Amino acid sequence: MKVLKFGGTSVANPQNINKVKNIVQDLGQEKAAVVVSAFGGITDLLLDTSHLASLQDPTYTESLKTIEERHLAAVKELIPIQVQSTVLSKIKSDLNVLETLLEGAYLIGELTPKLSDKIVSFGELLSAYIIGEYFKSEGLDATFKDSRELIITDSNYGKANVDFSSTTKNCNQFFKENPCQITVLPGFVSSSGTGDNTTLGRGGSDYTAAIVAAAQNSEFLEIWTDVNGMYTANPKLVKQAKAVPHISYEEAMELSHFGAKVLYPPTIQPILGKEIPIAIKNTFDPENPGTIISKNDNGNGKTVRGISHVGNISLLSLEGPGMIGIPGISKRFFETLSLNNISIVLITQASSEHSICVGVADEDVEIAAEAVNETFAYEMQNRKIKPAIVERDLTIVALVGDNMKSHQGLSGKMFSTLGKNNVNIRAIAQGASERNISAVIKKEDVKKALNSLHETFFEENIKQLNLFVMGVGNVGSKFLEQIHQQRKYLKKELKLNLRVIGISNSRTMVFDENGISLKDWQNQLGKGEKADKQTFFDTVKSLNYRNSVFVDNTANNEVAQSYPDYLKNNISVVTCNKIACSSDYDFYKNLKSLSKQFNAPFLFETNVGAGLPIIDTLKHLIASGDKVKKIQAVLSGSLNFVFNTFNDSVTFHDVVKQAQEQGYTEPDPTIDLSGVDVMRKILILARESGYELDIDDIENESFLPKESLETNSNEAFFESLIKYEDDFQKLYKQAADQDCKLKYVAQFEEGKTKVGLQKIPKGHDFYNLEGSDNIVLFFTERYPNQPLIVKGAGAGADVTASGIFADIIRIGNF
Ligand code: ADP
Ligand code: ASP
Ligand code: MG
């Protein structure tokens, strides 16, 4: 005989119940027990309704009505008219009993565990009866059997303990005499030795099916649900999770104990000794092989088989000098918890015996703490032991796998993954079987922890980077375009999966946890909500994704001021905005130290020389022990373009205009033309070389007339350029007469920094600098005479975007 169990979603509505029928029909002539859950959501509804009634809230009748309507509608849709009235009258009479019970709770204003069990059992009783009748009406040789007559328990209402010997006897007798091919049984419900209605605990229909399978020595147990088996992690939280084709009983038990809801934890226990295999299958994709749970097959040598988590956990710790070396403390501690019916999910004890710490359900911790304080009242009075310490709202994440014991380094890998992602670990435990390693973390870090662990242990080294992009002007939009084009290559060759989750410009912002389609991001951004920098940050923070990167493509000061917030939350920052690194030295220094402290890279390669690897080169020199003596550089792609294009046959105004239109200048061209931009760049290089410097320490002799410098709009600025055209022509002529070219040069030497326009003679490294190119000469201890030179295109949206891209890839390899 085979046992099949269909969960709440599988029987949520007539359409799904029809799918269930098809699966059962495909059994052919094989004998089967079909265990069903309540229609999806009904158990919760029954519990809520009875709670309302017990609070004497008259609105309980409204939710009762919803319950009634769902069942009556199902009957009307599933059962043919000719037989409908009999079925309807049975359902109505059951619903009347339910109504009376709820009325009782309402009138007395109380809900005993015994009454609650009686009420909640209606979910399974009604669904199984309706499904049985539907099967019959479809020509199946089916019958309904009330599981309360088979499964006998103690009177521990809400989660009763099964009396296996009476239950097995009952099952054997029933199935021996039952001539029908299909028996439909309500899951979850049972009865006590005294005949009262009990239940097997939330999710207990799986257990019902396992109990019947064990009693009947079935050759197979099938659990039909709404996913393709047991996954490497909860598929609702980890999108990359995959169904595991085969796992052992012990692994399944461990995963379900630590929260893999797809299987109710006690399910394995009755069938373990009999080695009945379990298949977890998807009612909505019956062809999918699902997961087979059976005896250990060595897991194909795989170590970690799944990651699960269980929430609503509190830690309860007892500590104090009076615990060291005193026998019996642990015994008294655990006895106290056991006497108070507190179930312990996890235990840790430091080897110094100075403390014991257990994980229990949030809802139990208060009683547990009170009880422990009472037990150790004497020691606490004498200050030998401190009052119990409680920490709430935690979650346990567990790595599970039979083969973990024979592999070193797994826990190291687990903890370093969590550490890198700034997930604080409150306690750890490893089962003696070494089949699981668990860590207790904060509730808000769960998704991040699960996803980063999943990435480490299951995703073939593919690393996902979650990008939040602010600013989509010239550079920002090019950057998005480049990601769009390169994504496949990055995944295949660099094992990096880039996902843009948030985009904002100054008007609107948009978020999509599945990744914004880069084909039509403009459209989605246009339809987004009103942009707000604080809300943008709050969203990135609350999404709490691992490997989150904030990309700043703006030139905005307020945005730069928000970097500390991002870094403190373990969110990397990549920026082409120079403000942060070139403003106050303490601010810059603080960003660098936050980056270290919170494991969040802070990269700004494009601050100097757009996509050229200038800062990266400098970093490598310093990291390898070199020391910078002098830097000479032409660092303004814009000024270089301007002075390379400007001559006596064009006006200075037109050249600057052209530079602006081609994206070679900042949106405000005075920043470039005044030399401020170059000052910022050389400042950054000096700081990165290890010198403490501020912008005021830099000498700048501007070639622009004072009036142009003091304009306060782009228009006024351009007008002033027309006015002073003669002066600019003079500058050109002076240089041309000496066979020199004009270059705007930045220099740093022995702590002194200056920038300004210089006449560069033929033969100098700077003389032949083309278009918007940049050049940097590093004179260091290792390169004292012949400098290390970095040269190439140093401005333009394209190269800047690719520089940002390069920083993102650096983070990927971090
Ligand atoms: P049913 O009503 O069929 O008993 P459940 O809701 O009890 O279904 O269990 C199935 C759900 O368990 C899935 O929809 C999934 O969200 C959740 N789940 C949690 N962890 C896992 C896991 N590791 N593998 C598969 N499903 C999981
Ligand atoms: N209906 C019960 C519950 O929701 C039992 C089950 O579905 O397994 O907990
Ligand atoms: Mg379930």
Side-chain angles (χ1 to χ4, degrees), residues 23-66:
I23 292 165
V24 173
Q25 222 158 22
D26 282 349
L27 290 171
Q29 296 302 310
E30 197 176 356
K31 248 191 154 183
V34 174
V35 176
V36 296
S37 285
F39 294 171
I42 290 290
T43 307
D44 286 337
L45 210 49
L46 281 163
L47 290 170
D48 290 349
T49 312
S50 45
H51 185 61
L52 280 178
S54 72
L55 294 175
Q56 302 195 307
D57 180 338
T59 60
Y60 84 89
T61 54
E62 284 163 31
S63 39
L64 172 62
K65 210 180 210 139
T66 314

Side-chain angles (χ1 to χ4, degrees), residues 171-473:
C171 286
N172 289 345
Q173 196 173 348
F174 168 74
F175 284 103
K176 202 164 83 193
E177 289 164 9
N178 169 34
C180 286
Q181 185 217 333
I182 307 288
T183 307
V184 182
L185 296 157
F188 181 57
V189 299
S190 44
S191 63
S192 71
T194 51
D196 289 313
N197 205 138
T198 54
T199 59
L200 300 176
R202 291 304 308 269
S205 295
D206 297 341
Y207 194 29
T208 308
I211 295 164
V212 174
Q216 292 310 108
N217 289 318
S218 294
E219 62 268 30
F220 223 87
L221 167 60
E222 291 178 356
I223 307 266
W224 290 82
T225 181
D226 56 1
V227 285
N228 283 331
M230 202 146 196
Y231 281 56
T232 45
N234 184 340
K236 289 218 172 86
L237 295 180
V238 180
K239 295 215 167 58
Q240 275 84 322
K242 291 212 167 57
V244 184
H246 180 222
I247 60 173
S248 73
Y249 291 122
E250 291 79 4
E251 287 168 332
M253 216 155 21
E254 208 82 17
L255 282 169
S256 70
H257 174 73
F258 284 107
K261 185 181 168 229
V262 67
L263 196 68
Y264 182 51
T267 307
I268 305 282
Q269 173 214 328
I271 55 171
L272 183 63
K274 306 202 166 189
E275 294 185 4
I276 300 168
I278 306 179
I280 300 193
K281 303 260 300 170
N282 189 349
T283 305
F284 307 96
D285 184 7
E287 298 303 316
N288 192 295
T291 298
I292 302 289
I293 306 173
S294 65
K295 240 176 76 175
N296 188 349
D297 72 338
N298 212 15
N300 293 328
K302 293 209 177 85
T303 50
V304 181
R305 306 306 308 284
I307 304 167
S308 51
H309 71 285
V310 49
N312 302 325
I313 293 289
S314 291
L315 282 181
L316 175 74
S317 322
L318 193 66
E319 59 180 64
M323 290 171 64
I324 305 169
I326 312 280
I329 298 264
S330 303
K331 176 175 171 282
R332 286 165 62 203
F333 180 77
F334 290 111
E335 223 164 47
T336 305
L337 296 178
S338 152
L339 284 173
N340 284 278
N341 232 341
I342 309 257
S343 134
I344 298 169
V345 193
L346 163 143
I347 306 173
T348 61
Q349 179 175 23
S351 60
S352 74
E353 294 183 56
H354 187 69
S355 72
I356 316 174
C357 173
V358 292
V360 301
D362 275 336
E363 68 209 35
D364 289 343
V365 77
E366 207 168 302
I367 299 176
E370 268 173 33
V372 166
N373 286 344
E374 204 170 300
T375 302
F376 294 98
Y378 176 74
E379 285 87 347
M380 285 175 190
Q381 240 165 28
N382 294 321
R383 298 179 185 276
K384 292 241 154 61
I385 294 180
K386 294 184 201 159
I389 303 162
V390 170
E391 257 183 282
R392 284 171 218 273
D393 290 331
L394 302 169
T395 291
I396 302 176
V397 252
L399 291 190
V400 171
D402 284 339
N403 294 339
M404 280 168 47
K405 58 178 171 295
S406 44
H407 281 78
Q408 278 111 24
L410 290 174
S411 42
K413 216 165 154 186
M414 176 181 187
F415 301 137
S416 76
T417 301
L418 294 175
K420 256 191 189 170
N421 285 283
N422 233 32
V423 174
N424 191 12
I425 301 172
R426 296 293 313 112
I428 50 182
Q430 179 165 23
S433 66
E434 290 190 45
R435 192 172 284 123
N436 90 65
I437 311 172
S438 19
V440 181
I441 62 171
K442 278 197 276 184
K443 181 165 99 183
E444 56 265 33
D445 286 334
V446 172
K447 201 166 168 188
K448 189 183 201 178
L450 289 176
N451 278 282
S452 30
L453 291 172
H454 198 268
E455 192 168 82
T456 301
F457 291 101
F458 292 104
E459 292 173 34
E460 289 167 341
N461 298 326
I462 287 207
K463 186 165 183 179
Q464 178 162 308
L465 295 180
N466 299 302
L467 308 185
F468 298 88
V469 181
M470 189 169 280
V472 283

Side-chain angles (χ1 to χ4, degrees), residues 723-736:
K723 184 170 165 194
Y724 288 97
E725 177 64 20
D726 283 353
D727 291 10
F728 299 123
Q729 284 298 341
K730 223 178 271 163
L731 281 175
Y732 173 77
K733 193 166 177 315
Q734 279 170 3

Side-chain angles (χ1 to χ4, degrees), residues 774-801:
N774 277 197
I775 184 166
V776 183
L777 317 182
F778 288 114
F779 295 87
T780 68
E781 278 177 358
R782 218 174 282 151
Y783 299 91
N785 304 318
Q786 284 301 317
L788 175 75
I789 302 180
V790 184
K791 179 182 165 190
D798 249 330
V799 280
T800 307

